């Protein structure tokens, strides 16, 4: 009987962490960092908010984990040349209204908060900058990557937050094709075929 109790607790801890991550990702995507409270996350996950502090430390650390999980999954699943095309495909997916890649939308909605903006800079600096930077041999690779990321963030902002036309109703594959062609000027090894 005593050997089952620790295993049961481990499974519950794992399930609780997963529920907190899922709830946090949904709420950060819907509301942004500042308008999401620890209580909101815990309520949506169906757990006591003390567990969020136990497993993640604080809301900023949880935000970091949410961003890291999505970007690392994308980066791990695809070769560097296709990461930008895959990111755009997820952002522009018409079946999800552009919210399939919740990390990007959560970042957009949270960028006005100093702590969240710092997490966003660190996360993109660690993951996307490294991967996208590998697509050019130029001496100013970091600047080139930042310009591409600025285009992607601007696309997300205008399309999903501002809801600017004609971008909102534009064909996602055409938007991706144009973005990838523009990005290939700066990152010469980027795959310019949109994911359709």
């Amino acid at each position: 009987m005593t050997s089952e109790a620790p295993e049961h607790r481990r499974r519950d801890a794992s399930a609780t962490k997963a529920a907190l991550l899922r709830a946090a990702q949904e709420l950060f995507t819907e509301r942004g960092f500042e308008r999401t409270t620890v209580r909101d996350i815990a309520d949506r996950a169906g757990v006591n908010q003390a567990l969020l502090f136990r497993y993640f430390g604080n809301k900023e650390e949880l935000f970091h984990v949410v961003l890291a999980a999505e970007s690392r999954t994308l980066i791990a699943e695809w070769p560097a040349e296709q990461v930008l095309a895959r990111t755009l495909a997820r952002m522009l997916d018409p079946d999800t209204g552009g919210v399939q890649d919740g990390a990007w939308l959560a970042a957009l909605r949270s960028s006005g908060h100093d702590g969240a903006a710092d997490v966003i800079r660190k996360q993109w600096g660690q993951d996307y900058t490294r991967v996208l930077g590998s697509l050019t041999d130029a001496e100013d690779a970091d600047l080139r990557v930042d310009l591409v990321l600025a285009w992607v963030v601007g696309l997300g902002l205008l399309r999903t937050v501002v809801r600017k036309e004609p971008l909102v109703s534009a064909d996602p594959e055409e938007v991706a094709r144009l973005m990838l062609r523009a990005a290939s000027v700066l990152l010469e090894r980027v795959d310019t075929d949109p994911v359709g």
Side-chain angles (χ1 to χ4, degrees), residues 17-42 44-45 52-53 56-70 98-113 115-117 119-120 160-161:
K17 286 179 190 177
L20 284 165
L21 277 171
R22 198 170 32 259
Q25 194 246 346
E26 291 169 1
L27 287 166
F28 289 143
T29 300
E30 291 169 16
R31 303 178 187 172
F33 179 84
E34 195 164 3
R35 291 183 22 222
T36 298
T37 67
V38 169
R39 176 170 285 157
D40 294 336
I41 296 168
R44 184 162 295 184
L52 183 148
F53 296 111
F56 298 102
N58 59 40
K59 186 171 82 165
E60 263 183 35
E61 287 302 313
L62 179 56
F63 185 66
H64 186 277
V65 171
V66 166
L67 291 185
E70 287 203 30
V99 298
Q100 183 177 345
D101 195 348
W104 282 94
L105 192 52
L108 286 171
R109 292 207 167 123
S110 305
S111 59
H113 184 273
V119 170
I120 294 164
T160 60
V161 178

Side-chain angles (χ1 to χ4, degrees), residues 143-185:
L143 175 60
R144 290 168 179 251
V145 169
D146 282 353
L147 288 168
V148 170
L149 289 176
W151 289 340
V152 173
V153 169
L155 169 66
L157 180 67
L158 288 175
R159 192 165 188 276
T160 60
V161 178
V162 176
R163 311 257 334 132
K164 183 169 183 326
E165 288 293 350
L167 192 54
V168 171
S169 57
D171 175 44
E173 195 169 319
E174 181 61 17
V175 172
R177 183 177 292 106
L178 292 169
M179 288 284 293
L180 291 167
R181 191 177 320 143
S184 72
V185 171

Side-chain angles (χ1 to χ4, degrees), residues 74 78 81-94 100 171-177 180 191-196:
L74 180 68
W78 302 103
E81 296 82 9
Q82 293 180 3
V83 166
L84 186 58
R86 294 291 170 173
T87 298
L88 290 170
R90 291 174 67 156
M91 288 179 71
L92 298 166
D93 185 345
Q100 183 177 345
D171 175 44
E173 195 169 319
E174 181 61 17
V175 172
R177 183 177 292 106
L180 291 167
D191 187 345
T192 57
D193 290 328
V195 177

